[in-house]
Amino acid sequence: SRELFRCLFGPRWVAARLMEQQEVNGQEILGVGSRTLIRPEAAWSKVLDEAESFLSDEGGSRSKDDDPCAEGTAQYFRTSLSALFLGTDDQPALLNVLLVSIPLAFMSRFLGWSEAWVFLSALVGLIPLAERISFVTEDVAKYTNQTLGGLLNATFGNITELVVCIFAIRAGLFRVAQLSMLGSVLSNLLLVLGSAFLIGGCRHKEQNFNRSAAVTNTGLLIFAVLALSLPSILDETHSGAGGVHAEIVANHSVLVAQHQMPKIRSPAWLRGNGSLEAENRPGGDAPLWYSRFIALCMLIMYVLLIFFQLVTHTHLFEGEEEEEEDEPGILGFYGGIFWLAVTTIFIATLSQWIVDTIEGAAASLGMPILFISGILVPIVGNAAEHAAAIVFAYRNKMEIALGSAVGSAVQISVFVIPLCVVIGWMMDKPMTMNFHFFETSTMLLTSISIAIILMDGKANWLKGSMLLLGYMIISAGFWAHADPDQMS
């Protein structure tokens, strides 16, 4: 509010309003809504000083020297662009060398190059954008209170995965959306955390972290696995009320013959209108309403988690290394919002091209589409968390490293996955929580392994090696795994 007053009115307007509310030289200044004010010189000078103090650092706001726009708009754009493209002294933008992939993606898209070129260049271009949007979000959070800053970080921390999944759902590629979210969880828990433990353990013999926060996060992961397992169990046992596979396939063939529905390209992702009316036949899949009910329950759990982290139990998620005073912001609040919007537009554009070309790229590159969706795309989306976790682990700041890895996995499990189901509901698309047996089992075993490894509150290079080798095994499993031609 002080910045708004200073920009719109200035100290003289504030001084006039202060004089209207106090007595000067024994006379009460009325004049509200009037330009006739009694302003003795001494009293006016004193009140003007009070107004300057109100709008200065002493009044609780930033001084003019710290104002990003204090030296003009041109200087602000020079400073902000320098911070975005080159980084700061404490946080250099090393991944920005990959920004050359963005113009390459535009060229390959509009010049008619192969789908593999479009896919790979757009995928690589997402890496620096994911890292830069994390930087902008942290800078904007410095201009807010702790609660709003935490919500901003939670919302934009996984914006890359969310945007990719939204475009995949809109295109009817539900398995691509499911596997990219599941793969992001596995990447954070195994690849990102394992790299942090390995790099940190090579420099420090043993590192400690907050066991309470770790146990809370692993408990939330087990809760998410519980929610994802039940639709898969109903599907595998054919004890759901959602219709039999053969009947669904037959109905689809009829609709194609009547030109009411386009034929599904190979591999055959099931596309539908998301209607609940036909989901009352026993002996088949998990009904769609059950997935939507679970998604709503998980979103309630996420709201409770935010309240738990930011209001009632903040001490569990604050480490000693986080007590240092933050550096002043660079971009400003409204400027940061502007750069968030610009970066999100580029992320949305590249994500749409990735979804549009993923099937053609898989055929051209000779890679299984499940491997691309579950391994390659999540690695790109988690590039920011990966780099941050390694740097903080090397500096022995394990609380922050653990938050970047496990905290991000919890955000995706409890927030992004159910949100995508709800978004599919709003789009009239049958996006479900049924991730199928192989994927759900992988997440269950990974969550149990992470819970055991984090149980003692200590990290070393051997634990990191176990996590990295486990991720290699799972990656090979995604390459070897293939969906049947018709899936629920």
Side-chain angles (χ1 to χ4, degrees), residues 223 227 292-306 411-423 425-426 433:
F223 167 78
R292 293 170 176 174
F293 174 77
I294 293 175
L296 294 177
C297 292
M298 293 180 72
L299 289 177
I300 294 174
M301 183 70 249
Y302 177 74
V303 174
L304 297 177
L305 171 63
I306 293 296
Q411 293 282 348
I412 297 171
S413 302
V414 187
F415 175 63
V416 177
I417 291 178
L419 180 62
C420 285
V421 174
V422 174
I423 291 174
W425 189 359
M426 296 170 61
M433 301 284 284

Side-chain angles (χ1 to χ4, degrees), residues 4-26:
L4 182 62
F5 281 149
R6 175 169 51 77
C7 293
L8 295 181
F9 306 109
R12 287 187 170 273
W13 186 91
V14 176
R17 302 287 78 77
L18 290 174
M19 290 187 66
E20 293 173 2
Q21 301 174 26
Q22 61 180 307
E23 293 182 359
V24 179
N25 288 345

Side-chain angles (χ1 to χ4, degrees), residues 104-419:
L104 183 62
F106 277 84
M107 291 174 58
S108 59
R109 177 71 173 183
F110 294 109
L111 294 180
W113 296 1
S114 67
E115 290 186 334
W117 269 106
V118 179
F119 176 80
L120 291 176
S121 56
L123 192 66
V124 175
L126 278 182
I127 296 177
L129 292 179
E131 192 274 333
R132 286 292 87 186
I133 202 169
S134 298
F135 167 77
V136 176
T137 304
E138 292 175 3
D139 191 87
V140 172
K142 296 176 181 179
Y143 296 86
T144 64
N145 55 34
Q146 181 182 4
T147 302
L148 184 57
L151 290 175
L152 280 172
N153 285 314
T155 303
F156 286 93
N158 302 108
I159 189 68
T160 305
E161 295 90 338
L162 182 59
V163 172
V164 170
C165 291
I166 290 175
F167 282 110
I169 293 171
R170 192 178 69 172
L173 301 176
F174 305 119
R175 289 289 284 160
V176 172
Q178 288 178 335
L179 290 171
S180 64
M181 291 184 290
L182 177 71
S184 185
V185 174
L186 299 177
S187 174
N188 276 294
L189 294 178
L190 297 175
L191 179 62
V192 177
L193 187 62
S195 300
F197 279 10
L198 179 62
I199 299 300
C202 290
R203 187 182 185 191
H204 310 277
K205 186 174 183 179
E206 189 174 75
Q207 296 174 291
N208 300 316
F209 52 84
N210 188 347
R211 291 179 56 189
S212 299
V215 170
T216 301
N217 284 326
T218 52
L220 288 166
L221 288 173
I222 298 297
F223 167 78
V225 172
L226 168 67
L228 295 176
S229 298
L230 295 179
S232 301
I233 293 173
L234 287 176
D235 179 71
E236 291 297 325
T237 58
H238 300 289
S239 57
V244 184
H245 292 279
E247 185 176 355
I248 294 175
V249 174
N251 290 339
H252 175 261
S253 301
V254 172
L255 292 175
V256 171
Q258 296 175 354
H259 304 287
Q260 297 181 13
M261 186 176 184
K263 187 175 181 180
I264 302 174
R265 291 193 297 170
S266 180
W269 317 105
L270 180 69
R271 304 167 189 251
N273 59 7
S275 173
L276 298 179
E277 297 177 358
E279 301 205 3
N280 54 9
R281 297 180 294 276
D285 305 336
L288 185 59
W289 69 262
Y290 186 48
S291 294
R292 293 170 176 174
F293 174 77
I294 293 175
L296 294 177
C297 292
M298 293 180 72
L299 289 177
I300 294 174
M301 183 70 249
Y302 177 74
V303 174
L304 297 177
L305 171 63
I306 293 296
F307 187 77
F308 183 84
Q309 286 182 329
L310 302 180
V311 179
T312 62
H313 289 71
T314 56
H315 62 282
L316 295 180
F317 302 90
E318 294 176 353
E320 294 180 359
E321 63 270 9
E322 295 181 297
E323 295 178 359
E324 300 177 1
E325 184 179 356
D326 289 336
E327 294 293 329
I330 300 173
L331 305 176
F333 180 77
Y334 296 106
I337 296 296
F338 169 77
W339 292 118
L340 276 178
V342 171
T343 310
T344 303
I345 290 173
F346 276 97
I347 289 177
T349 302
L350 296 182
S351 299
Q352 183 176 6
W353 294 349
I354 288 174
V355 172
D356 291 343
T357 60
I358 189 171
E359 292 180 280
S364 300
L365 298 174
M367 292 184 179
I369 194 170
L370 298 182
F371 179 83
I372 294 177
S373 304
I375 302 298
L376 293 186
V377 174
I379 288 177
V380 170
N382 294 329
E385 289 88 350
H386 201 165
I390 291 177
V391 170
F392 286 122
Y394 186 78
R395 298 175 181 175
N396 201 25
K397 297 184 177 182
M398 290 305 298
E399 302 292 346
I400 306 179
L402 205 67
S404 298
V406 183
S408 180
V410 170
Q411 293 282 348
I412 297 171
S413 302
V414 187
F415 175 63
V416 177
I417 291 178
L419 180 62

